[in-house]
């Protein structure tokens, strides 16, 4: 099958039956191959799991070698919100293709992402018709709280991880997201990584792996 987004696919060893999917969404200017590096460790501990790392649906405006989920060249919240909704529509179609291809339902899917990919994972996980298994977000934020509170239709639980020295996406956004999620009755865990900038260190990767493993009940 050909998905609507070009995808780096990491299959379980020996092609054993697939019971779970982790969809990893890259950050601004990255690609699926970049974020697939997380699976080098994860796949050893998550049997029967396939990892899908799609490229963003647009070439990145400031890095044509990479991709974006939404444009950031205009510092206009309304523009950014509308562009992110276009990406949501594309990703919703993609996820339906994934569910059909592997005969799975949303409860068997973990949505995960870094930075812009984290923002997309949160929106996708809370505006779907049914809960996903979980969301794991690194170094992101809620794009627009007012909009999301109006469109929220599900309550997928999540783990959000952020570096306390992040100068790209401020760590204060982690606290704001936590407050929003608690107020909206969403089960959330958060982890602030000390002396960490805008990247995914081993400590964050390990915490995410344990969270996914527990929620997949492996």
């Amino acid at each position: 099958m050909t998905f609507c987004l070009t995808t780096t696919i990491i299959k379980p060893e020996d092609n054993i039956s697939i019971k779970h999917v982790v969809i990893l969404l890259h950050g601004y200017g990255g690609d699926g191959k970049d974020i697939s590096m997380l699976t080098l460790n994860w796949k050893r501990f998550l049997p029967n799991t396939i990892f899908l790392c799609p490229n963003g649906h647009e070439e990145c405006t400031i890095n044509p070698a990479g991709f974006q989920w939404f444009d950031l060249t205009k510092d206009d919240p309304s523009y950014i919100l509308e562009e992110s909704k276009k990406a949501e529509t594309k990703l919703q179609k993609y996820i339906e293709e994934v569910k059909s291809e592997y005969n799975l339902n949303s409860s068997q899917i973990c949505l995960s992402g870094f930075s812009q990919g984290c923002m997309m994972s949160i929106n996708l996980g809370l505006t779907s018709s049914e809960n996903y298994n979980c969301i794991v977000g690194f170094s992101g934020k809620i794009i627009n709280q007012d909009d999301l509170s109006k469109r929220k239709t599900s309550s997928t639980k999540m783990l959000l991880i952020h570096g306390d020295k992040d100068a790209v996406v401020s760590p204060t956004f982690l606290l704001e997201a936590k407050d929003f999620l608690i107020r909206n009755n969403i089960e959330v865990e958060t982890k602030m990584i000390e002396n960490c900038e805008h990247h995914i260190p081993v400590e964050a990767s390990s915490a995410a792996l344990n969270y996914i493993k527990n929620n997949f009940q492996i």
Side-chain angles (χ1 to χ4, degrees):
M1 176 176 178
T2 301
F3 296 122
C4 67
L5 297 171
T6 303
T7 302
T8 298
I9 301 174
I10 312 297
K11 295 181 179 180
E13 295 180 5
D14 301 324
N15 286 320
I16 54 180
S17 61
I18 294 169
K19 297 180 180 177
H20 300 104
V21 175
V22 177
I23 297 175
L24 287 160
L25 305 180
H26 63 77
Y28 185 65
D31 61 25
K33 188 175 180 181
D34 288 341
I35 201 163
S36 73
M37 293 300 103
L38 278 174
T39 70
L40 293 176
N41 182 49
W42 288 7
K43 66 180 182 179
R44 292 186 294 145
F45 300 97
L46 297 172
N48 304 98
T49 301
I50 191 167
F51 300 89
L52 303 177
C53 310
N55 290 344
H57 63 117
E58 298 174 342
E59 286 187 358
C60 182
T61 310
I62 64 167
N63 175 26
F67 299 88
Q68 64 188 24
W69 298 109
F70 51 89
D71 183 27
L72 290 176
T73 58
K74 294 183 183 178
D75 188 18
D76 178 348
S78 296
Y79 172 77
I80 289 172
L81 177 61
E82 288 309 308
E83 291 299 298
S84 72
K85 286 182 177 179
K86 292 177 185 176
E88 269 185 57
T89 299
K90 197 78 173 179
L91 281 164
Q92 286 163 351
K93 178 184 177 184
Y94 176 80
I95 292 168
E96 289 306 310
E97 291 174 345
V98 168
K99 288 160 69 173
S100 175
E101 173 70 9
Y102 299 109
N103 193 28
L104 300 174
N105 56 48
S106 295
S107 66
Q108 295 168 284
I109 297 174
C110 165
L111 300 176
S112 184
F114 171 70
S115 195
Q116 199 177 76
C118 169
M119 301 175 203
M120 295 308 307
S121 295
I122 293 171
N123 274 17
L124 286 164
L126 298 184
T127 59
S128 62
S129 59
E130 56 187 9
N131 289 346
Y132 289 94
N133 180 277
C134 62
I135 297 166
V136 175
F138 303 94
S139 308
K141 66 177 183 179
I142 294 174
I143 296 170
N144 185 303
Q145 292 194 11
D146 289 339
D147 175 77
L148 185 55
S149 64
K150 293 172 185 174
R151 296 195 297 126
K152 176 184 172 295
T153 51
S154 55
S155 300
T156 304
K157 58 187 169 184
M158 65 183 77
L159 169 66
L160 300 179
I161 304 174
H162 218 112
D164 67 348
K165 304 289 193 218
D166 194 331
V168 178
V169 180
S170 171
T172 59
F173 286 117
L174 175 69
L175 306 177
E176 292 178 10
K178 182 179 181 179
D179 176 69
F180 172 88
L181 296 165
I182 290 172
R183 285 188 285 108
N184 283 275
N185 301 310
I186 296 159
E187 183 181 336
V188 58
E189 296 181 28
T190 59
K191 185 174 182 63
M192 192 77 79
I193 308 292
E194 292 185 3
N195 300 312
C196 176
E197 298 181 0
H198 194 64
H199 66 103
I200 304 174
V202 172
E203 183 181 351
S205 175
S206 296
L209 171 61
N210 287 333
Y211 184 80
I212 296 169
K213 189 175 178 181
N214 288 338
N215 281 290
F216 281 174
Q217 297 183 340
I218 295 173

